Each structure stands twice: as structure tokens, then as C-alpha cells.
Amino acid sequence: MSATGQAPVTSIAFLGLGHMGLPMASNLAAAGFTVRAYDPVPAAAAAARAAGLDVAGSPADAAAETDVVVTMLPTGRHVLDAYRPGGGIVGTVPEGALLIDSSTIDVADARAAHEIAARAGLRSLDAPVSGGTVGATAGTLTFMVGGDADAFEAAGPVLSGMGRRIVHCGGAGAGQAAKVCNNLILAESMIAVSEAFVLAESLGLSHQALYDVVSTSSGQCWAVTTNCPVPGPVPTSPANRGFDGGFATRLMAKDLRLAASAAAAARVDLPLGRKALDIYDKLEATAPDRDFSVVIDAIRERTPAQ
């Protein structure tokens, strides 16, 4: 037993083995947990087997007799379907098991998932992540966590097996609220940074010169120093790979839609957020899987040749 009187976590079911889920599940197995994984997509399941994971034939098979279930699924509908009776979790895991949803979903859907878990006598957390596939592979993700303090404490060893920074943001839905607010800032700042680099190009200023100034001045932000939208100044940014990899524009568009939904429910006006959503909605149609910093090309296309 732990110091809090809770039995230590030994077995984990991991549902969702995509670009994020597979390395997260693999890191849990490497940390010494018994992991039984599931994904309905045959290619994802095959990749998990190739990575050495024990892959179940159904969500219920994965979740049976486990201490913790981690979900990393595409949408709130998928999460709620997995949580509802018959979805493979509720009615399969023992009473008191801990459910951790690391998907990025609507705040309202996250709160509904908590309610389903509570009615079934299960503990739950919404714990979306930041850090992308690089962070998932390296085990350096940031978790933004919503739920009660006891569930958060119990989840500590599991989350630490996948991430470096774990922030308890508050009650049910608070993790998702933090995620959509963070990515709202990220989308808006990437557009602003891209506009500045295109303006600099038109004014004859080199990428490196602008980077050297902005990265140490008041315009400094993650979109400059980590995910710089031009090749050269930050060699690891997707701009050096033709915008391959990184955080896909379709995912940014999804997160902006989630922010818009949350803002509408809270009656908060987001004029810059609406414009960012319009920009990324259009970009999703032409470059869905390229890193979201490809927005700089859309800005260049609207800039007359000098």
C-alpha cells in the first residue's frame, strides 16, 4: 500500500494507439507497468504488437481487471462511447478503478465522462497533453489535469511514466479548459509570428536577424524559439522538413473549434480566435497533415511579389 492507503498501480489498459497513444503506452510498459492495449485500426494494432505491446482484441479484453484505463481517442464522442455501459470500460473494470482520458475533447464532453465514471463508482481525470509526438516518444509531455485531488494523487506514477510536467488545474473538465486556452494562444501566436517573418522578408530582413532579435525581446514565444515557421534559426522545427511532422493543421483546427465551442457556452467573445479558426479551417482543406506553422505559406500566398 502507498502512504495514502491506496494500492500501487500495476496494470494499465491503454485504448487508442495512434501517433500519440502508441509511444505513451510504450513508455508505460518501459516504466514497468503491465500494459494491455487496444486500437480498432488494424495497422495501429499491428504497430503496437511490433513495438512489443500486449494487444487485446476488444476494449473490454484490455480493461478487464486493470487498475487504470488510459484513453487517447480522436473525439469526445469516442470517449463517451468508451465510457458508457457496453463501451468496454464501465461494467468491466473493478469498482474504484481510475480512468484517465488524455484525448483532447470538448470541456462539456469531459465533464459528461466524469459523471458517467462517478455513477459507476469509478475515479476519473481529464488529462490532455502538450508536447506532440516528440514529447510522447521522449516521455516529456505536459499533462493538464482535471479531477479531484485523490484521483490526481493516485494517477501520479502513471502520468510520470509518460510526461515530465503534471499540472493539477482543478476539478472535472479543468484539464480540457487549460488545453483549449493554451492552444488558442498557440494558434494566434503562430499566425502573428508568421506574419512578422513574411513582413521581414518583404523589408529585406533575414530570417536569422529577426529571430535573433525576437527570441531575446518582447516578441519571444514558443512559436519563435521552438516551432519557428522558417527554416534555419531553429534546426529542429518542422519548417526545416517542409512542415512534415509536428502538430498537424487539422488538429489545430479541431482545437480551435473546441475553443469556440467553450467560448460560446461561456458567452465569451473571441475575435482573434474566430479569425484564427477561419484561417486554420481553410488551411485544413489544403494541408491537413502538415505542421500548423505551414500557415506562413498561406500568408506568403496573399503577399504580392516584390
Side-chain angles (χ1 to χ4, degrees):
M1 301 291 283
S2 69
T4 61
Q6 298 171 332
V9 173
T10 59
S11 59
I12 299 172
F14 202 108
L15 309 184
L17 302 170
H19 295 303
M20 294 291 291
L22 177 54
M24 291 166 69
S26 297
N27 283 335
L28 288 173
F33 296 103
T34 298
V35 178
R36 191 156 169 77
Y38 173 76
D39 195 294
V41 178
R49 290 190 186 94
L53 291 178
D54 181 13
V55 179
S58 70
D61 287 344
E65 300 181 8
T66 55
D67 305 310
V68 175
V69 179
V70 180
T71 45
M72 191 64 167
L73 303 173
T75 69
R77 177 180 62 81
H78 292 95
V79 174
L80 292 175
D81 285 348
Y83 274 43
R84 290 184 179 115
I89 297 176
V90 171
T92 300
V93 297
E95 185 173 353
L98 174 62
L99 311 184
I100 303 173
D101 179 45
S102 288
S103 318
T104 296
I105 63 175
D106 190 84
V107 175
D109 286 341
R111 290 172 176 162
H114 279 277
E115 291 173 3
I116 294 170
R119 288 197 298 269
L122 305 173
R123 298 171 294 166
S124 61
L125 296 171
D126 56 287
V129 302
S130 179
T133 55
V134 172
T137 301
T140 58
L141 294 169
T142 293
F143 284 87
M144 296 151 271
V145 187
D148 67 42
D150 287 344
F152 177 73
E153 184 174 355
V158 177
L159 299 179
S160 295
M162 300 180 285
R164 179 175 293 169
R165 181 163 174 77
I166 302 160
V167 181
H168 189 200
C169 299
Q176 295 294 349
K179 176 65 182 287
V180 298
C181 290
N182 179 77
N183 278 19
L184 176 65
I185 295 170
L186 177 58
E188 294 173 356
S189 62
M190 181 56 77
I191 293 169
V193 167
S194 296
E195 287 181 343
F197 272 100
V198 173
L199 177 59
E201 292 167 357
S202 299
L203 297 175
L205 186 64
S206 73
H207 293 160
Q208 190 65 51
L210 181 61
Y211 176 85
D212 289 345
V213 170
V214 175
S215 64
T216 57
S217 301
S218 55
Q220 189 278 329
C221 61
W222 190 90
V224 172
T225 57
T226 300
N227 217 72
C228 190
V230 296
V234 180
T236 55
S237 76
N240 296 278
R241 307 186 299 274
F243 303 103
D244 285 340
F247 187 61
T249 58
R250 60 183 170 78
L251 297 178
M252 180 55 81
K254 170 194 169 184
D255 287 359
L256 287 169
R257 287 190 285 270
L258 293 176
S261 174
R267 298 183 179 180
V268 174
D269 185 29
L270 302 177
L272 294 182
R274 289 197 306 272
K275 183 60 177 177
L277 175 55
D278 178 63
I279 289 170
Y280 276 102
D281 265 343
K282 292 174 181 175
L283 196 57
E284 181 182 15
T286 58
D289 295 314
R290 299 176 79 188
D291 183 75
F292 77 109
S293 59
V294 75
V295 69
I296 194 170
D297 280 351
I299 295 168
R300 288 190 181 112
E301 288 170 5
R302 297 194 298 271
T303 302
Q306 301 298 308

